[in-house]
Amino acid sequence: MVDLIEREGDLRTLGDQVDAGRRGDGSLTVVEGPAGIGKTSLLDAACAHGRELGMRVLRARGGVLEQELEYGVVRQLLERPLRLAPEPQRTALLAGPAAAAAGVLGLGPVAPDLGPGRDPAPDIWHGLAWLVTNLAANEPLLICLDDAHWGDTASMRAGGYLARRIGGLPVAIVVGVRDDEPGSGHELLGQLFGAADPIYVRPEPFSVVAVARTLADAFGDAEPGADLVAACAHASRGNPFLCLELARELAAGHTAPAAVGVAEVQNAGPLAVRRALLLRLGRLGGPATRLARALAVLGGDGELRHAAAVAGLEAGAAAQAADLLVGAGLLAPERPLRLVHPIVRAAIAEDTPPSDRARGHRAALEVLRAEALADDRLLVHASSAEPAGDPAGVALLRRAAQRNLGTGAPRTAAGHLTRALAEPPGAADRPGVLAELGRAEVRGGGFEMGLAHLDEALGALDDPVLRLAVHRDRAFAAFAARGMVAAREIVRGSLAGTGGDDALQLEVDLALLAWLSGAEHGLDLRRHRDVDGDTRAQRTVLALLAQEEHARGAPPDAVVELARRALGGGRLVEHDTSEALSWYMAVYALLTCEAHADARATIEHALADGRRRGSVFARAGALGTRAVLALNEGRPLDAEADARTAARAIPPAMAAVNGAYVVLALTDQGDLDGAGDALRAGGLEHGPGGPTVMRWVPWARARLREAQGDARGARDDVQCLREDETAGAPMRALAWRALLARVLARGPDAGEAAALAEAHLGWARSWGRAGALGVAERAVALAAAPDRRGPLLERAVETLAASDLGTEEARARADLGVAWLRAGRRRDGRAALEGALELALQRGMRRTGRAVAAELEVAGAPPQRLRFDELTASERRVAEMAASGLTNRDIAEELFVTVKTVENHLTRVYGKLGVRARGELAPVL
């Protein structure tokens, strides 16, 4: 690598990190330090080394003016390589999950605004990570980002997502960041890159030896005295850039080092060095100063013609001014023009009066717009220019805001629209700007402010489509800021001027909010049960009705019929996507009614929809519901694998639900220690479940407490489920009475246990589903007197054998075997236990299997050699996918993990199964 003064150790570290990336070991290096310490020089050296190794170098720089330009850094890195790629290669690079990245790179449409509460950003991050993976498959990559503290938030979050997933990839990431920049994104960067465990390079200030060398170079190899060196080291604090500037300033004013007054230098400091820069600029004359200020307005670099136009200079005068700036060391000797350092740009910008800066941005906007440049190039100046009633500027800011909403940056959108409102827009455009601003504020969490802007817009809006959108956002904002009563009032007021499907849409929006929050919406939705399901609103009301009818205790066939009509044989997924809440409501209605074939079909359809659209959220949601299906069907290993995969992919708000599924799956397997660890890792140990779908959390806790024999804990955990049922909330199929009866039957509260079991049996009989009935019958048997348990358990086993609940059947058979043994019917007892053991082995129920084996041994059976699956749920899932012919990359894409993680799983799988290659997996599995 190149020779830099006193940077040998830093260069070695960088070289090792780039080498590691080249080998496929995915490395992240953060070069951190104050402005002027030499970070850029180190990044230059790393890039040169990467090129020598044959790596493809992608480089970008954060800009102080571009921090609000969402995905600006990402576009610097990736847009040009994609646009230059031949069409077939570009199509391949953007295939699969990478397709979600196309919109932010200007190579496809941006995702439509999905409404409040739905953030498209995770899909985009995942798509960008896979785009980088695809690029790295062609050649090793070095991604170099300078001035990351000025990077836009969207790019930095995407970078953090990528940095945590480069293990096993031929990718090296090198990031330069200031640790002293006020108002920058340094704290965010620390969170993002800290989670990826980077190697830090922190360049040290120059020693007196390096300061002496810098002074000698400036004075034409004349050696400075020790006092002057010490004074310069103190004045510059050892900062290489400031030291160089101070040396250049001293050399410009003195013939030799000995002519410098040391006392003068001793009183200087970093601020004095900055002032000296401005004095040097002032000595160059008016045209040079104007050109430098124009460049500062343009962000520190730009074409000569643009800077000249902003500065108001003729081409010849601008060229002469540029030469003077180069000679003074303020401008790099290259084209396009570039100020030599951000410190220089900052000093010039700070020295420019605010009104002059605003006028400069207005001039820049006009100059760049005249050349029909892209919106990204214009946006910074439109945001910073003095308001002037510019219709084109308003239109530009509105386009940018619409893009922001589609890429998950609503607060940035609100900022652009606030600026558009200040321009101001014309009278005809003002209501639309107000509406868009209010909707952006609602999506960004500014509910009260958003509500005020939406209310103001509504008074002047004529467009019925836009009026409906405003009504919907007003209801959501009122609900979020003031509660269900306020939302209900707004919806009822909105209905007065709305009819048909629009009115139904407002009603179902309110009902959805109620379903999510557990509140009462106060609407009569049953009058809509005969709708055809042709529109989104109709499909949603059918799904809502399926949930409400279930809560009212309607027959399951009626609930399933409503859910099927909502799904429309795939119509809901095709038109509304599998991210629609209506899909979740419909599929959970099917699951609670044990309509597993229907549920399986729509879940697979949803997974295909998520893959096709590159939607992480959709795939994770479908995997979570598939985990519930696996739990219902007694496949806890599959449930664990799906739930863990879903939890890796989705936002924290829904990770708790999938964490609950993991706890349930581990409890079913009998891994109570693992279930307890998962409970704690997900922060699920305490508190109520929250909204309806979150009732899985206390249910999972209660199931674990039951398995642990903790009656008090189980009673506490089912309390919120008891309260929900009293209030008529859904999820009655979470059989809390049966669970509590089983727990209490072991202790002194047998009377209460029997009453709870009989009450649940009454519901299960009216419900009429085999699984629910078998669970109830088992609870009744366990709460009964010992001499009655055998026949009652026989009935439960027979019922459960006709259901899909294999784990429940295994437990019931185990209970039956014990009951017959205690009653002296050894042959019947052993037969039941042998059936329970076979099921337990099939289903991965280790604890149940060991308990049954122990009972069999007591009954005189020979000791059992229990052969449970040696693979973890994740290992088995990877092994099955590898055996089916998927590549490691395919598996990583499907499971939201790195290729390295897949390799590690397969290494363990080979060792446990005694195979040497993936071709041997299928017969062993």
Side-chain angles (χ1 to χ4, degrees):
M1 295 182 73
V2 299
D3 179 30
L4 296 176
I5 299 175
E6 295 188 334
R7 295 293 182 255
E8 295 81 7
D10 297 336
L11 290 169
R12 278 195 300 273
T13 300
L14 281 169
D16 291 344
Q17 288 289 93
V18 173
D19 292 345
R22 173 69 178 80
R23 291 194 305 269
D25 294 333
S27 67
L28 170 63
T29 314
V30 176
V31 182
E32 184 179 61
I37 199 68
K39 301 182 296 297
T40 297
S41 296
L42 288 171
L43 266 63
D44 289 341
C47 289
H49 184 58
R51 292 187 185 95
E52 290 172 1
L53 294 175
M55 302 178 76
R56 182 173 193 172
V57 177
L58 304 178
R59 190 161 187 178
R61 178 188 294 272
V64 68
L65 299 182
E66 289 84 23
Q67 286 178 286
E68 296 303 316
L69 189 64
E70 100 290 348
Y71 293 104
V73 166
V74 163
R75 296 185 72 166
Q76 284 186 57
L77 288 169
L78 298 172
E79 186 174 10
R80 182 176 173 80
L82 267 291
R83 288 192 180 279
L84 292 178
E87 182 62 33
Q89 184 184 2
R90 186 187 313 141
T91 299
L93 289 170
L94 290 171
V104 301
L105 297 173
L107 298 170
V110 173
D113 175 20
L114 299 173
R118 172 64 177 95
D119 183 4
D123 292 347
I124 295 170
W125 303 341
H126 191 65
L128 289 167
W130 273 100
L131 173 57
V132 170
T133 300
N134 294 342
L135 284 165
N138 297 328
E139 55 188 329
L141 291 183
L142 171 58
I143 298 174
C144 189
L145 172 58
D146 203 357
D147 290 335
H149 47 279
W150 285 330
D152 62 276
T153 299
S155 290
M156 294 305 98
R157 291 191 184 280
Y161 186 94
L162 169 64
R164 293 188 290 275
R165 287 160 176 79
I166 58 173
L169 293 178
V171 176
I173 302 176
V174 182
V175 179
V177 59
R178 287 190 191 178
D179 58 6
D180 65 344
E181 179 69 12
S184 74
H186 184 263
E187 183 177 344
L188 172 65
L189 287 169
Q191 296 171 359
L192 294 177
F193 294 121
D197 195 24
I199 297 296
Y200 280 89
V201 172
R202 295 184 173 92
E204 294 291 332
F206 272 178
S207 69
V208 293
V209 174
V211 173
R213 178 174 167 183
T214 303
L215 284 166
D217 289 345
F219 279 99
D221 292 333
E223 291 296 327
D227 290 344
L228 178 60
V229 171
C232 289
H234 176 269
S236 66
R237 306 292 192 268
N239 183 288
F241 178 78
L242 296 179
C243 180
L244 177 63
E245 288 301 311
L246 180 59
R248 180 181 285 125
E249 193 69 22
L250 294 174
H254 302 83
T255 57
V260 178
V262 174
E264 173 190 346
V265 178
Q266 287 173 335
N267 294 327
L271 289 178
V273 176
R274 290 176 184 244
R275 285 195 293 271
L277 284 171
L278 295 174
L279 287 171
R280 192 192 317 160
L281 175 62
R283 289 194 293 266
L284 299 179
T289 299
R290 286 157 58 190
L291 187 69
R293 286 182 171 181
L295 278 171
V297 163
L298 291 169
D301 54 32
E303 299 292 342
L304 177 61
R305 68 181 186 279
H306 296 157
V310 172
L313 296 172
E314 297 293 336
Q320 290 177 358
D323 291 340
L324 289 174
L325 290 168
V326 170
L330 300 175
L331 197 64
E334 59 191 42
R335 291 291 189 273
L337 305 181
R338 179 176 60 82
L339 293 171
V340 294
H341 198 278
I343 289 177
V344 174
R345 191 213 66 81
I348 294 170
E350 290 164 9
D351 189 55
T352 305
S355 58
D356 287 353
R357 285 202 301 270
R359 282 194 293 271
H361 284 296
R362 174 60 63 186
L365 176 61
E366 298 297 340
V367 167
L368 299 178
R369 188 158 58 193
E371 295 193 9
L373 296 184
D375 284 357
D376 287 354
R377 296 286 303 278
L378 307 178
L379 187 60
V380 171
H381 305 295
S383 299
S384 305
E386 191 73 25
D390 176 12
V394 171
L396 167 66
L397 291 162
R398 292 178 76 178
R399 288 195 302 272
Q402 189 61 40
R403 178 186 176 89
N404 295 150
L405 289 176
T407 56
R411 294 182 182 178
T412 303
H416 291 325
L417 291 164
T418 299
R419 176 62 186 80
L421 203 60
E423 186 61 20
D429 290 332
R430 180 179 172 80
V433 175
L434 281 167
E436 292 161 15
L437 173 58
R439 300 183 74 198
E441 287 168 332
V442 169
R443 281 151 184 72
F447 302 116
E448 289 289 2
M449 185 66 74
L451 194 55
H453 285 130
L454 290 169
D455 287 344
E456 185 180 354
L458 195 61
L461 280 176
D462 297 323
D463 183 345
V465 175
L466 191 52
R467 286 183 64 85
L468 176 63
V470 169
H471 280 311
R472 297 179 68 185
D473 275 31
R474 287 172 68 237
F476 181 86
F479 168 77
R482 306 170 191 171
M484 180 55 69
V485 173
R488 188 182 303 127
E489 289 176 358
I490 280 187
V491 167
R492 285 175 175 165
S494 303
L495 288 173
T498 313
D501 201 62
D502 289 349
L504 180 59
Q505 184 66 67
L506 292 173
E507 290 187 88
V508 299
D509 283 348
L510 184 66
L512 284 173
L513 293 174
W515 184 76
L516 285 169
S517 64
E520 175 57 50
H521 56 67
L523 301 170
D524 178 18
L525 296 181
R526 299 179 91 172
R527 72 185 195 279
H528 300 300
R529 68 174 301 132
D530 294 329
V531 295
D532 296 327
D534 292 333
T535 67
R536 177 189 289 264
Q538 291 178 3
R539 291 186 286 272
T540 305
V541 80
L542 289 169
L544 280 161
L545 282 169
Q547 288 288 331
E548 291 192 0
E549 292 297 285
H550 169 43
R552 292 188 180 104
D557 287 345
V559 175
V560 170
E561 188 264 342
L562 285 166
R564 285 173 175 164
R565 287 171 57 203
L567 291 166
R571 182 169 51 180
L572 189 156
V573 172
E574 291 295 335
H575 292 284
D576 307 340
T577 81
S578 54
E579 295 174 42
L581 280 174
S582 51
W583 182 80
Y584 289 95
M585 288 187 291
V587 75
Y588 275 107
L590 295 174
L591 289 167
T592 54
C593 294
E594 299 179 40
H596 294 152
D598 287 312
R600 185 177 299 105
T602 191
I603 289 169
E604 293 306 317
H605 188 193
L607 279 170
D609 168 69
R611 291 189 193 100
R612 178 180 57 80
R613 294 186 297 106
S615 171
V616 177
F617 188 92
R619 290 168 62 193
L623 287 168
T625 54
R626 197 169 74 176
V628 177
L629 175 63
L631 288 169
N632 282 10
E633 294 183 329
R635 296 181 284 109
L637 283 168
D638 289 337
E640 181 193 349
D642 278 338
R644 288 191 185 279
T645 301
R648 279 193 295 271
I650 61 177
M654 289 301 294
V657 178
N658 287 288
Y661 301 156
V662 172
V663 172
L664 288 166
L666 291 171
T667 301
D668 277 352
Q669 294 170 46
D671 183 0
L672 304 190
D673 289 340
D677 290 343
L679 199 72
R680 288 183 289 276
L684 310 178
E685 308 102 307
H686 307 292
T692 300
V693 71
M694 297 296 284
R695 291 317 193 214
W696 287 101
V697 175
W699 175 248
R701 282 201 305 264
R703 285 285 310 279
L704 177 57
R705 304 302 181 224
E706 176 196 8
Q708 294 168 331
D710 179 2
R712 177 178 296 179
R715 187 189 289 274
D716 290 344
D717 286 324
V718 301
Q719 182 59 33
C720 66
L721 303 174
R722 184 196 303 254
E723 293 168 355
D724 278 354
E725 187 171 307
T726 302
M731 309 295 277
R732 287 188 63 181
L734 293 181
W736 65 267
R737 287 187 180 83
L739 182 150
L740 198 53
R742 295 193 301 263
V743 175
L744 297 179
R746 305 173 190 171
D749 299 317
E752 182 183 358
L756 286 166
E758 288 292 344
H760 188 66
L761 179 61
W763 170 80
R765 282 173 174 161
S766 66
W767 186 242
R769 286 298 192 255
L773 183 58
V775 167
E777 289 172 343
R778 177 179 172 235
V780 168
L782 294 177
D787 59 346
R788 296 180 56 228
R789 284 181 188 164
L792 292 173
L793 282 167
E794 261 190 334
R795 183 185 304 163
V797 167
E798 182 180 350
T799 303
L800 287 167
S803 77
D804 293 327
L805 276 65
T807 47
E808 288 295 335
E809 182 188 350
R811 294 189 190 98
R813 288 185 183 278
D815 294 334
L816 177 61
V818 171
W820 285 147
L821 289 178
R822 302 298 183 266
R825 294 173 57 173
R826 295 172 61 83
R827 179 179 297 177
D828 292 334
R830 284 179 60 171
L833 290 172
E834 286 166 356
L837 183 59
E838 182 180 355
L839 273 174
L841 290 170
Q842 290 174 357
R843 308 287 175 160
M845 302 170 66
R846 296 169 185 269
R847 188 165 181 264
T848 300
R850 293 190 184 102
V852 169
E855 290 286 351
L856 279 169
E857 194 168 347
V858 169
Q864 301 289 323
R865 292 187 60 195
L866 302 184
R867 294 190 57 122
F868 289 106
D869 194 336
E870 296 181 7
L871 306 180
T872 67
S874 297
E875 289 168 353
R876 170 160 283 278
R877 179 58 54 83
V878 168
E880 288 170 344
M881 296 174 81
S884 72
L886 294 180
T887 66
N888 289 1
R889 233 177 114 214
D890 294 334
I891 298 169
E893 175 186 323
E894 191 69 19
L895 300 182
F896 306 105
V897 296
T898 66
V899 174
K900 188 71 171 179
T901 299
V902 175
E903 292 171 354
N904 291 339
H905 275 318
L906 285 175
T907 298
R908 290 192 294 271
V909 166
Y910 294 161
K912 289 180 178 182
L913 299 184
V915 301
R916 291 175 294 178
R918 64 203 308 129
E920 302 174 33
L921 285 172
V924 176
L925 291 172

